Amino acid sequence: MGTVKALLFSIVLINLSLLGFCGYPRRPVDVPFWKNYEPSWASHHIKYLNGGSTADLVLDRSSGAGFQSKKSYLFGHFSMKMKLVGGDSAGIVTAFYLSSNNAEHDEIDFEFLGNRTGQPYILQTNVFTGGKGDREQRIYLWFDPTKGYHSYSVLWNTFQIVIFVDDVPIRAFKNSKDLGVKFPFNQPMKIYSSLWDADDWATRGGLEKTDWSKAPFTASYTSFHVDGCEAATPHEVQVCNTKGMRWWDQKAFQDLDALQYRRLRWIRQKYTIYNYCTDRQRYPVLPPECTKDRDL
């Protein structure tokens, strides 16, 4: 009887893990592009493969391209798998971000900054709240993002925003409203992605220019996962603000667990090349959220 109970307990633990009750988001569901997304600009520079399960954005001298989610969301888990432009990608930016559409907007950014052949990509993240950004962090990735697909995701609830690369948290932005820092509570956001030429700033501050002889440049996307609370009307926003009703509001997701904090510390020690929290020239007074986010 004891063996049966132990087996049942193990099955429950496995199922809870798969559902996302052990500190990690639910396992993303691979869905085709058209289920959650639509082109936002230069649709003729988007190619759909394998029945729409993969979408390629193409950049040449005439245009880049972009797409956006069909719906707006207030809280949830959003991810996609990406394979970045290979070879000489200097001057090119590939982006995946969430943003609201108003003057004092909220935004959560992944920006992949291309580089000359042989030099690593830089991943820049930023968080805007109430129209205020200037919270850049830059890291090198611990793998070559051009050789295969990797998962990039955002977990957003009323307690924190966590940015993941594969299953590794590379950044946590806590609700620091008690410290006077705005947090995205009530502005629904759409999800966007784009590929464009930004050689005026993207690589070495604009010193490295795009080599158009290597065009066209292609970034590839798959696994267009969205698990969020849809919010387009005031009523829907109110429903999404109801705590405890969704899996991402549960206690396991109100903070990182011990392993996640160790992984975040590993990122800070090994791969971080810029962190606004440690930039004393720019911020002589420490931004109040930095201590709570453990970004020092």
Side-chain angles (χ1 to χ4, degrees):
M1 192 65 180
T3 302
V4 173
K5 286 184 177 179
L7 179 60
L8 289 173
F9 183 65
S10 298
I11 292 172
V12 169
L13 284 180
I14 291 170
N15 286 335
L16 288 176
S17 176
L18 291 175
L19 289 172
F21 287 107
C22 294
Y24 289 86
R26 283 182 176 176
R27 189 182 303 277
V29 178
D30 292 341
V31 297
F33 175 87
W34 294 103
K35 179 176 176 62
N36 292 318
Y37 290 94
E38 61 188 4
S40 55
W41 59 284
S43 59
H44 60 292
H45 275 235
I46 305 178
K47 298 180 179 178
Y48 306 100
L49 309 171
N50 304 316
S53 64
T54 302
D56 288 352
L57 300 191
V58 180
L59 167 68
D60 59 24
R61 275 192 178 275
S62 67
S63 182
F67 61 86
Q68 66 184 38
S69 61
K70 295 179 178 179
K71 299 182 182 299
S72 298
Y73 302 92
L74 190 66
F75 311 123
H77 178 230
F78 315 95
S79 74
M80 61 182 67
K81 293 179 181 177
M82 302 167 58
K83 182 167 63 174
L84 303 185
V85 174
D88 189 338
S89 58
I92 297 170
V93 172
T94 310
F96 163 39
Y97 60 102
L98 284 72
S99 182
S100 62
N101 294 310
N102 42 45
E104 293 192 358
H105 76 293
D106 298 327
E107 186 170 311
I108 306 164
D109 292 338
F110 283 93
E111 291 181 311
F112 300 89
L113 312 182
N115 220 325
R116 293 264 90 101
T117 301
Q119 299 299 313
Y121 263 83
I122 292 172
L123 169 54
Q124 175 171 285
T125 61
N126 203 349
V127 178
F128 289 74
T129 59
K132 181 191 180 304
D134 298 327
R135 299 186 178 104
E136 298 92 346
Q137 294 179 0
R138 293 184 173 191
I139 68 169
Y140 288 130
L141 296 167
W142 53 98
F143 53 84
D144 185 342
T146 72
K147 298 301 185 184
Y149 291 96
H150 290 266
S151 176
Y152 304 93
S153 61
V154 173
L155 174 68
W156 169 33
N157 59 30
T158 58
F159 305 95
Q160 62 177 351
I161 295 165
V162 186
I163 298 175
F164 292 91
V165 174
D166 292 331
D167 286 327
V168 178
I170 65 164
R171 182 168 188 173
F173 184 83
K174 300 300 180 59
N175 177 356
S176 299
K177 192 176 179 181
D178 58 321
L179 302 177
V181 179
K182 290 185 178 181
F183 190 83
F185 275 119
N186 53 18
Q187 297 190 110
M189 293 196 258
K190 283 194 171 186
I191 310 151
Y192 300 87
S193 194
S194 55
L195 175 67
W196 82 99
D197 173 36
D199 70 2
D200 57 330
W201 68 272
T203 306
R204 294 183 60 210
L207 294 178
E208 303 283 357
K209 299 301 183 181
T210 304
D211 182 355
W212 291 108
S213 70
K214 304 293 195 301
F217 304 100
T218 301
S220 188
Y221 298 76
T222 190
S223 186
F224 301 95
H225 169 81
V226 172
D227 186 2
C229 187
E230 295 179 15
T233 67
H235 172 71
E236 290 170 335
V237 169
Q238 185 61 36
V239 169
C240 292
N241 271 307
T242 303
K243 296 180 181 179
M245 299 297 291
R246 304 288 184 135
W247 65 263
W248 54 76
D249 281 329
Q250 304 305 312
K251 186 173 179 58
F253 305 100
Q254 296 176 17
D255 197 358
L256 302 184
D257 62 25
L259 174 59
Q260 289 173 324
Y261 271 120
R262 287 197 297 272
R263 287 180 163 182
L264 182 60
R265 187 164 58 249
W266 174 67
I267 293 295
R268 289 286 163 269
Q269 293 172 349
K270 299 291 186 181
Y271 297 101
T272 299
I273 56 176
Y274 177 81
N275 182 355
Y276 80 108
C277 286
T278 59
D279 188 341
R280 289 295 175 269
Q281 285 191 328
R282 188 179 178 191
Y283 292 106
V285 177
L286 182 70
E289 71 272 12
C290 291
T291 300
K292 184 176 282 191
D293 294 344
R294 302 195 191 184
D295 265 333
L296 301 175

